[in-house]
Amino acid sequence: MKNLITKTYKLILSLPITFSGIVMADMALEEIIVTAERRSESAQDVPISMTVMNGAKLQDLNMRSSGELGTQVPNLRTYNDSGENSSVQIVIRGVYSSGQTYMAGPSSLLYSDDLLLDSYISHGLAFFDVDRVEVLRGPQGTLFGRNSTAGAVQLVSKRPGDELEGYAELTYGNNSKTRLEGAVGGPVSDKVGVRISGFYDRQDGWLENIHNGEDIYDYDTYAIRAIVEYEPTENVDVLFKAQYGSLDQDPLLFQSTIPSPHAYSGMGIADAILNNPGPESGYSKANTDLSQSDLDNSVEDTQLNLTLNWGLSGMALTSVTGYSDVGFSFINDADSSGAPIFHQYNAVDYEGFIQELRLASETDSPLQWIVGGFYMDADMSSRVTDDLTGLYVLYGYDYPGIGFGDMDLIDHNSKSSAIFLQTNYSWTDKLKTTHGIRYSRDKLERVRTAGDFTMFPRTSNLSFLDYSAHEDGGSEVFVSDYRDDATTKEITWRLSADYAVTEDMLLYSSVSKGFKAGLLGAMYNTVEEEYVFVEPESVIAYEAGFKSQWLDNRMQLNAAAFYYDYSDYQTYTQIETDFMFTRSDINIPEVSFTGIEVELVAQATENLMVSFGLGMVDAKIEKYAPNAVDDLTGNKTPRTPDLDFNGLIRYDIPLAKGILSPQIDFNYVGDYYSQIENVQKIGDYWKANLRVNYQPYESGLKLSLFVQNVGDKKEIQQVYNANDAYGLGTDLTTFDPPRTYGVTARYDF
């Protein structure tokens, strides 16, 4: 009976299947080659949970940055508290690096052509001229740069190639959105290839400021990349990449969901100035005394990579040398009113250098191995300054021409080094096991100068930016050259097994240990009167899943289940309830995450393509910090939706002159809490995007009409609750951008 079932199964797979009379024998899905385990192999052969999108799919989804990945990747969410495509925080399987400093390695790391982007201020990476994006779920405790406990995202740019090719693209949409993008590349000699690509993107603001009638939230961004590939011999390949990007936009303005009157109404400030128009306007209007020229949310990002691949006898040597330089500036109004109650400024300069060496076997032996080392040295300077003049006036401290605020200056150095080894052994042609180990050492050093509440001459809304003016105001610095350092060491490992049931079905399971270095706390603990050290976090992760192909690879179905047992989970919590600065970085002793991912991609008919993804996570605090104000044992971790669902449906309609392809993509985000106290539940919404493509036969031309966020839903990105918003008597909330629509023309040559 078993043999009969097997033979019948193979016979069915060998037959050309028909739907509505359309023969489907030659409609196999494209094989995508990835480097998720530092070797080139089919994504369907890699025994980990991962989502891969090539450049064509990113175009079809109109996906332009890493900040949009969460709409089509199960169990991945991206959050942005400052502005579109800046300081994006990536959350994989619910693991969120809340409380992180700009220098603390995030739980989910981002790589750009093997260059580790260690600070999340550079994680709003623009997608242009992309070969593919790989999202790897689960601890990357062996083969990847600095260890990450949640996962990693790899962006791989297109290389020059063997023939001259390129494209030009123009998009125009509402709010005067204008985007230009293009690339050209190919060989310039038999040994050298070059590819140049770039884009420019701008849009006018859509949020009306009732204080002065200006429209807020415009942006202006561009980037350029040059890749040079040199092959001096058959065995040597050298790749150099230089990339520069600039983003200049208004910040995602904090608003309040609490209708007027403001909590400070009747305390000496005119109600018109305190008016909060957000709820009644559907969050299309706001109130701030900062003009558009005052507001700032800008990023400058430089990336330099040099990658050497050298084929030796039975081995391959890879060297990755990288440098990144990121500057970030942020000025925003954080009180949801037209009074100068709380204006904030943050500036960051980051420089990082990495060097990685890998030596990998390249033989037919059942034993394969990769051994290597990693080193990173990064410097960051950060400056935070606040203007609290209006708050002091409310409490009776009114001195004409004098402002009140505070300041915080930090110089930070982070060094990380590691050695690692991973081996694979094929016991049979079906069974393979993987064994990995890594030793990591991280050292942090910081010099911090923090200012007490200060006085300064206030002649404009931006007077508080001048650090010397604070000193001239007569205040005293309460911490001068505060120095602290910390060193953490850890061994991480991975064991996995995969079994090829057939050529089209792979089963796998794994257990691994992940680790994230300790951090020098970002927040001043007003109870202990110090900046606390947060211990390293670690996780034991269990995962099992399968990858399968059906109907002659016209359908792929992949699924995985996981369980995480976290120790010393890094986060922050409330430490007292009066006035301001009520939070401190802490470790939670025990946290668990349990969940699944399911992904389906199918060429259902010759004309119909569908893909669906499902993610579920149950996150729970098993044991809370013993010295916290409240015991939060049993609470959910923040920013962890219990359910997400996404899909894409495209139908190709052959016409006399070309192909018309209408499509819809959508996603659902379930309930989650923005804060660890679980005060306010948000999420539980659907979003959809529409697109219609028209491609004339054999022309290289493609025309597209698109509508993003069809329902014009301004969903909450983040909310700081009223009792947690720095004593301002209101909540602080950021929202998604509204509906956008437009047309794109693209020409490939």
Side-chain angles (χ1 to χ4, degrees):
M1 182 68 177
K2 181 178 179 181
N3 290 336
L4 177 61
I5 294 174
T6 301
K7 290 180 181 179
T8 304
Y9 169 77
K10 290 181 178 180
L11 176 63
I12 292 173
L13 291 183
S14 68
L15 294 174
I17 307 299
T18 63
F19 290 88
S20 302
I22 300 174
V23 179
M24 299 179 60
D26 299 319
M27 295 185 296
L29 298 172
E30 177 186 359
E31 181 183 39
I32 301 180
I33 303 299
V34 299
T35 55
E37 293 198 319
R38 300 304 196 188
R39 298 179 184 274
S40 296
E41 54 190 330
S42 172
Q44 288 297 101
D45 293 333
V46 181
I48 64 173
S49 177
M50 62 186 298
T51 297
V52 186
M53 288 185 282
N54 60 19
K57 185 167 184 178
L58 293 172
Q59 293 170 28
D60 286 341
L61 291 168
N62 204 28
M63 196 174 288
R64 302 298 188 179
S65 77
S66 56
E68 300 172 286
L69 278 173
T71 61
Q72 289 293 311
V73 178
N75 278 341
L76 183 147
R77 300 296 305 153
T78 56
Y79 298 93
N80 191 338
D81 294 341
S82 60
E84 187 175 359
N85 300 333
S86 67
S87 302
V88 170
Q89 299 182 42
I90 300 171
V91 180
I92 298 177
R93 288 178 168 174
V95 180
Y96 166 54
S97 301
S98 57
Q100 65 189 355
T101 70
Y102 292 113
M103 285 297 294
S107 297
S108 300
L109 293 179
L110 185 65
Y111 293 81
S112 176
D113 297 306
D114 274 347
L115 174 63
L116 169 63
L117 304 180
D118 187 55
S119 177
Y120 75 90
I121 59 175
S122 58
H123 281 192
L125 197 65
F127 291 165
F128 65 102
D129 200 29
V130 174
D131 180 74
R132 68 185 184 276
V133 173
E134 304 173 9
V135 178
L136 316 179
R137 303 182 189 88
Q140 303 301 307
T142 303
L143 292 177
F144 280 86
R146 271 190 109 177
N147 284 305
S148 56
T149 57
V153 177
Q154 290 197 97
L155 183 141
V156 181
S157 304
K158 284 190 177 179
R159 291 195 170 195
D162 298 325
E163 297 180 355
L164 179 66
E165 65 170 8
Y167 68 92
E169 183 179 284
L170 170 64
T171 297
Y172 187 79
N174 62 321
N175 296 319
S176 299
K177 177 180 176 62
T178 305
R179 181 183 175 93
L180 300 169
E181 182 180 329
V184 60
V188 296
S189 71
D190 59 347
K191 296 181 181 297
V192 179
V194 177
R195 190 172 183 93
I196 307 293
S197 57
F199 77 93
Y200 170 75
D201 194 358
R202 68 163 303 277
Q203 181 173 300
D204 290 340
W206 50 265
L207 181 67
E208 181 186 346
N209 179 14
I210 67 169
H211 189 81
N212 57 19
E214 291 181 330
D215 287 332
I216 303 173
Y217 201 51
D218 61 358
Y219 66 82
D220 193 312
T221 180
Y222 66 91
I224 187 168
R225 177 194 304 136
I227 293 180
V228 179
E229 190 171 18
Y230 175 50
E231 297 183 12
T233 69
E234 289 184 355
N235 298 326
V236 176
D237 177 84
V238 181
L239 185 75
F240 173 72
K241 184 189 86 169
Q243 180 173 312
Y244 174 79
S246 173
L247 169 64
D248 185 8
Q249 66 178 2
D250 297 335
L252 199 59
L253 196 69
F254 287 116
Q255 298 193 68
S256 176
T257 63
I258 302 173
S260 297
H262 194 279
Y264 294 138
S265 180
M267 296 182 65
I269 297 179
D271 287 346
I273 296 177
L274 292 175
N275 179 34
N276 168 32
E280 66 184 30
S281 71
Y283 301 101
S284 62
K285 296 182 180 181
N287 190 6
T288 173
D289 56 323
L290 292 180
S291 67
Q292 189 176 37
S293 60
D294 294 334
L295 296 166
D296 185 28
N297 183 31
S298 57
V299 179
E300 292 190 29
D301 183 11
T302 300
Q303 300 175 20
L304 300 175
N305 300 47
L306 181 64
T307 302
L308 166 68
N309 292 295
W310 186 5
L312 305 172
S313 177
M315 297 180 293
L317 175 66
T318 299
S319 170
V320 179
T321 306
Y323 170 80
S324 59
D325 185 344
V326 187
F328 170 65
S329 179
F330 178 77
I331 302 173
N332 202 4
D333 187 338
D335 57 60
S336 302
S337 80
I341 295 174
F342 185 13
H343 296 167
Q344 58 183 166
Y345 169 65
N346 194 357
V348 178
D349 289 308
Y350 171 95
E351 283 188 277
F353 168 82
I354 69 151
Q355 176 62 56
E356 185 166 352
L357 291 173
R358 300 192 299 267
L359 188 64
S361 61
E362 286 194 337
T363 67
D364 295 330
S365 168
L367 176 65
Q368 299 294 316
W369 49 265
I370 298 178
V371 62
F374 170 83
Y375 176 75
M376 182 193 77
D377 188 348
D379 290 299
M380 184 273 286
S381 63
S382 175
R383 174 179 169 185
V384 177
T385 310
D386 298 320
D387 183 355
L388 307 168
T389 303
L391 188 63
Y392 274 63
V393 170
L394 285 168
Y395 284 91
Y397 302 97
D398 188 5
Y399 301 95
I402 298 297
F404 298 85
D406 65 346
M407 53 194 170
D408 197 357
L409 308 179
I410 304 172
D411 289 313
H412 200 308
N413 177 260
S414 176
K415 291 183 174 67
S416 180
S417 56
I419 55 174
F420 54 87
L421 169 68
Q422 179 164 300
T423 62
N424 301 322
Y425 192 82
S426 298
W427 300 90
T428 69
D429 59 350
K430 293 180 177 293
L431 177 64
K432 181 182 73 176
T433 58
T434 301
H435 336 85
I437 190 168
R438 183 185 187 102
Y439 171 76
S440 301
R441 181 179 187 271
D442 291 85
K443 183 177 182 180
L444 306 175
E445 295 179 331
R446 177 174 62 185
V447 178
R448 188 166 196 153
T449 301
D452 201 348
F453 293 113
T454 62
M455 295 185 296
F456 59 90
R458 192 178 194 280
T459 58
S460 75
N461 278 332
L462 300 184
S463 295
F464 75 106
L465 303 185
D466 185 355
Y467 180 71
S468 63
H470 286 258
E471 293 183 317
D472 292 341
S475 60
E476 295 181 0
V477 175
F478 76 93
V479 177
S480 179
D481 292 341
Y482 177 88
R483 297 175 182 269
D484 53 349
D485 60 79
T487 299
T488 58
K489 305 173 184 179
E490 191 66 60
I491 293 176
T492 53
W493 45 266
R494 174 180 172 82
L495 296 172
S496 71
D498 57 271
Y499 183 78
V501 180
T502 68
E503 291 183 355
D504 298 320
M505 173 69 77
L506 179 73
L507 305 179
Y508 65 90
S509 63
S510 68
V511 57
S512 61
K513 180 179 181 179
F515 155 79
K516 185 154 76 78
L519 62 92
L520 302 172
M523 302 177 185
Y524 186 76
N525 188 313
T526 56
V527 174
E528 300 180 13
E529 296 187 348
E530 65 179 3
Y531 296 98
V532 299
F533 172 68
V534 184
E535 297 291 337
E537 73 177 23
S538 63
V539 58
I540 303 298
Y542 305 87
E543 181 175 315
F546 68 85
K547 296 189 173 185
S548 63
Q549 302 172 159
W550 305 84
L551 306 176
D552 288 337
N553 196 26
R554 295 188 295 274
M555 182 176 76
Q556 293 177 355
L557 176 63
N558 301 336
F562 63 90
Y563 173 75
Y564 290 170
D565 184 3
Y566 264 89
S567 299
D568 291 324
Y569 187 75
Q570 295 174 357
T571 186
Y572 59 87
T573 189
Q574 184 171 302
I575 57 173
E576 58 181 345
T577 57
D578 55 335
F579 199 51
M580 302 177 66
F581 309 113
T582 64
R583 289 188 167 268
S584 176
D585 300 289
I586 63 164
N587 294 103
I588 303 178
E590 297 178 22
V591 180
S592 66
F593 295 81
T594 306
I596 62 171
E597 295 104 23
V598 181
E599 292 185 278
L600 170 70
V601 182
Q603 187 72 52
T605 72
E606 186 177 27
N607 306 91
L608 178 62
M609 165 69 78
V610 298
S611 66
F612 301 101
L614 171 71
M616 299 179 68
V617 179
D618 180 21
K620 183 180 179 182
I621 297 173
E622 304 288 351
K623 182 180 180 181
Y624 199 58
N627 59 344
V629 173
D630 298 310
D631 183 5
L632 303 184
T633 299
N635 276 20
K636 303 288 187 181
T637 57
R639 297 191 175 189
T640 308
D642 55 0
L643 173 68
D644 66 78
F645 181 72
N646 66 73
L648 167 67
I649 303 172
R650 185 180 71 244
Y651 192 81
D652 297 328
I653 305 172
L655 303 175
K657 300 290 186 178
I659 297 177
L660 185 69
S661 303
Q663 74 173 44
I664 180 172
D665 66 270
F666 51 87
N667 72 297
Y668 170 77
V669 178
D671 293 331
Y672 65 96
Y673 293 98
S674 63
Q675 301 292 323
I676 200 168
E677 289 77 22
N678 291 187
V679 174
Q680 183 173 349
K681 185 178 288 187
I682 55 180
D684 189 21
Y685 62 82
W686 288 87
K687 279 193 175 182
N689 308 309
L690 296 176
R691 190 175 184 89
V692 178
N693 300 323
Y694 177 71
Q695 196 161 3
Y697 296 123
E698 300 179 357
S699 67
L701 181 65
K702 185 177 182 179
L703 302 175
S704 304
L705 298 172
F706 65 87
V707 183
Q708 301 289 113
N709 188 7
V710 174
D712 197 25
K713 294 190 174 182
K714 300 182 182 71
E715 299 295 341
I716 294 175
Q717 274 266 0
Q718 170 67 314
V719 56
Y720 296 94
N721 301 314
N723 64 345
D724 181 43
Y726 303 101
L728 300 180
T730 182
D731 64 5
L732 300 179
T733 307
T734 56
F735 291 85
D736 287 334
R739 176 172 49 227
T740 59
Y741 50 87
V743 59
T744 297
R746 179 186 175 99
Y747 180 70
D748 290 272
F749 58 89

